Amino acid sequence: MYPAHIRKEISCDGKVTYSFQSVAEHCRNTAKYASEALKAVGLEKTAYLAGLLHDCGKHTFGFKQYLEDAVINEKEVKRGSVNHTFAGVKLILAKHAKYGGTNDLQDLTIELIAYAIGAHHGLFDCIKDKDESAFAYRLEKENIDSEEAIENFYNECASEDEIEKLLLEATAEIKNLADIIVSIDRTEHDEEHEIPFYYSLVCRLLTSAVIDADRKDTMEFEKNEVTKQVSLDWSKALENFNSYIENFKTERDIDLARKEISAACAVAAQKPEGVYRLNVPTGGGKTLSSLRYALEHAKKYHKKRLFFVMPLLSIIEQNAQEIRKAVQDDSIILEHHSNVIDDENSDVEELNKRELLIQSWDNPIVITTLVQLLNTMFLGKTSSVRRFAALCNSVIVFDEVQSLPNTMLTLFNLTINFLVKKCHATVILCSATQPSFENAEHKLLSEVSDLTTLPSETLKVFERVELVDKDSMGMEELSDFALGIIRSKKSLLVVCNTKREAKELFDSLQAEVSSVIPMYHLSASMCTKHRKMIVESMKSDLSLPDPKQIVCVATQVIEAGVDISFNCVIRLQAGMDSIVQAAGRCNRNGENKLESVYIVNLLGEKLHRLKEIETAKSATESLLLAAKTEKQ
């Protein structure tokens, strides 16, 4: 027997024994898990074949000796010194010769599978410098005993007839996939086609399935236990959600408007898979409305997972807590971001389980950051690639999607098109200030539509502020202007473009009013716990029957996803989307009829290192000038 893994076990009396997993068993298990991962997207046989061949190269005496030396003989061996990855690549690429290059789909299928096998321990470019084939380069490397491995693979694991049959079935799947890719490529003849990029995503998808299946089976053998799947009961989660929102107050007009938006999202959840916008004003209850949509849609269309993707940790801190309260079942929720700190007293088994879920995203509800999601889509690390297949057959909710960098629009759009059209994902783009996806070089699917269109009467409820252009001011003048507002308003929020501006203005105002009025400062340079404490303290001050008079000077960290309401806001000039988001922190619940949001162009502002903010600010300046000219 050729071993894929060896497990050392020590009994209570100190006796040492060894358990062996054969390469054949490991390859079959990996093939099964990989095929299960991609069954819903029509790549079951393709994934099975890639998984079956991925460790073909371990069928050699050299690898057996290497493994026994490392585990049984406890010798120091160089990790990776016996190349086992590319024997399977050589086996499948040899099929090229059989078909003589006369079947393009067969060749495409072979190369997609070859890449998934070759990349399961590390990605590589298919084309090297000077247009050389990276496949050929790796196959010519020394220490690849491919002939011995392939012969033993056919004898021990799978017959050549089985491989041929699986390859024909895989080719039929790739034919269906190719038809879909051609149908969603909307480029003209003289433009760069989107098709190659879509095939790169197919490579990533297959590689993801193989990596996760390989790591999963390896871990199960090493721990000597089968991973338990968390049961999916969307009906129960939905029942918990409905009982949670039943107790919401409906005393104010804005409460009724939020209820109307939530109900509309529940109805829209019956629509088929696709890309949708949830475009409602700030303070419209997007978090719970999108959660309601996701749960209803998952139940109707048997979705495997829900993803809630947020751009800022400050948003996750608040929204994750709200989602947990609504779902009322922590066992089905995974938070994956840098602010999750495991309790020192946590059970080791629980910590290991959480680590596995982070690696695979194999949980019903995943709350993560935009950075982690973009890494999963595009980063060249196997740890990121591994999670890509988890996006299949899911609902992906992008909260505050306006935070997506403009430079990422094309890559983002094409990947979303692929996930929706090929991988049965449904995508929701949530924001009060939607990006211009239609203006990207490569666009989102043309059938993007709104989950709900609010009637004019409902929209009027959200008319809580007026934007006032205060032209240009220096820092000293801005400080005096803010002091004037403080004397007449209960609460004031000032949002700056840089940490330096915020600190300078905070110090200036603090010197004047801190003895009589609580002063708060927020910026991304603060640790999460500190920032959270400040937000909670401000909320407490502002929620009293007779709210305290407070002042907060902050950076953009307070702009999106923070449920807090000030009487007045000053926003230093930036992109209009940022100004609207800042306005969402003013009179948020319609406490007063109408409040002011002042736009100030800070003189001498240094934004040369913040090009996106600088460009957006320039656009707003032009817009305000045009509005002023029109009035005149």
Side-chain angles (χ1 to χ4, degrees), residues 383-497:
S383 57
S384 295
V385 175
R386 177 179 178 179
R387 294 191 290 265
F388 189 64
L391 300 174
C392 295
N393 196 31
S394 66
V395 181
I396 310 172
V397 178
F398 289 92
D399 196 7
E400 306 297 354
V401 72
Q402 79 280 354
S403 299
L404 182 75
N406 289 334
T407 53
M408 297 290 295
L409 278 181
T410 279
L411 290 175
F412 179 83
N413 288 351
L414 294 181
T415 305
I416 294 301
N417 292 347
F418 177 79
L419 288 172
V420 170
K421 284 298 185 182
K422 178 56 191 170
C423 301
H424 301 294
T426 293
V427 173
I428 309 301
L429 307 171
C430 294
S431 178
T433 50
Q434 292 279 337
S436 299
F437 290 107
E438 66 277 6
N439 291 329
E441 184 178 352
H442 296 272
K443 299 172 178 54
L444 273 178
L445 298 169
S446 57
E447 58 265 31
V448 177
S449 59
D450 291 307
L451 285 184
T452 177
T453 303
L454 300 180
S456 56
E457 307 82 60
T458 304
L459 286 172
K460 283 180 182 178
V461 174
F462 292 99
E463 292 177 2
R464 300 154 292 173
V465 302
E466 61 174 353
L467 299 181
V468 181
D469 180 12
K470 294 299 292 183
D471 294 324
S472 300
M473 296 182 188
M475 181 60 78
E476 188 175 341
E477 189 181 357
L478 173 62
S479 180
D480 290 340
F481 177 61
L483 285 170
I485 293 174
I486 291 168
R487 294 187 186 103
S488 62
K489 294 290 183 182
K490 272 287 189 180
S491 57
L492 170 67
L493 169 66
V494 186
V495 184
C496 302
N497 287 323

Side-chain angles (χ1 to χ4, degrees), residues 18 25 63 73 98 140 236 253 273 275 290 317 334 354 369 371 428 436 441 533 574 617 632:
Y18 296 94
E25 181 186 0
F63 186 83
N73 302 325
K98 178 172 181 179
E140 291 164 4
K236 179 60 178 173
D253 289 344
E273 297 164 347
V275 185
S290 62
E317 291 160 13
L334 170 71
R354 174 177 152 68
T369 60
V371 169
I428 309 301
S436 299
E441 184 178 352
M533 285 170 57
K617 176 182 176 179
Q632 293 172 348

Side-chain angles (χ1 to χ4, degrees), residues 124-138:
F124 61 93
D125 290 328
C126 293
I127 300 174
K128 282 172 54 62
D129 298 335
K130 301 177 183 177
D131 293 339
E132 295 175 314
S133 167
F135 280 128
Y137 165 74
R138 281 166 171 76

Side-chain angles (χ1 to χ4, degrees), residues 490-544:
K490 272 287 189 180
S491 57
L492 170 67
L493 169 66
V494 186
V495 184
C496 302
N497 287 323
T498 70
K499 290 182 284 188
R500 178 179 292 180
E501 291 168 356
K503 185 66 169 67
E504 184 179 348
L505 181 60
F506 174 79
D507 290 342
S508 174
L509 294 176
Q510 188 179 44
E512 297 289 337
V513 303
S514 65
S515 59
V516 291
I517 300 173
M519 288 284 302
Y520 294 98
H521 177 225
L522 272 178
S523 85
S525 61
M526 296 174 176
C527 72
T528 303
K529 187 173 182 180
H530 188 194
R531 203 165 58 235
K532 192 173 182 180
M533 285 170 57
I534 290 172
V535 171
E536 290 305 316
S537 181
M538 289 194 296
K539 284 183 177 180
S540 177
D541 288 347
L542 293 171
S543 63
L544 294 171

Side-chain angles (χ1 to χ4, degrees), residues 249-268:
K249 295 179 180 178
T250 54
E251 298 169 354
R252 300 168 298 190
D253 289 344
I254 198 165
D255 297 328
L256 293 171
R258 288 168 180 159
K259 186 175 181 180
E260 183 182 338
I261 292 167
S262 176
C265 285
V267 172

Side-chain angles (χ1 to χ4, degrees), residues 2-6 23 55 57-69 80 82-84 145 148:
Y2 294 92
H5 305 106
I6 302 175
V23 180
D55 269 358
K58 289 185 177 180
H59 280 99
T60 65
F61 178 79
F63 186 83
K64 180 179 181 181
Q65 190 64 54
Y66 160 82
L67 200 57
E68 290 176 351
D69 282 346
V82 180
N83 188 314
H84 72 272
D145 299 324
E148 177 191 358

Side-chain angles (χ1 to χ4, degrees), residues 26-40:
H26 174 58
C27 286
R28 288 290 179 184
N29 289 346
T30 300
K32 181 187 74 170
Y33 285 143
S35 68
E36 287 172 355
L38 299 189
K39 183 177 181 178

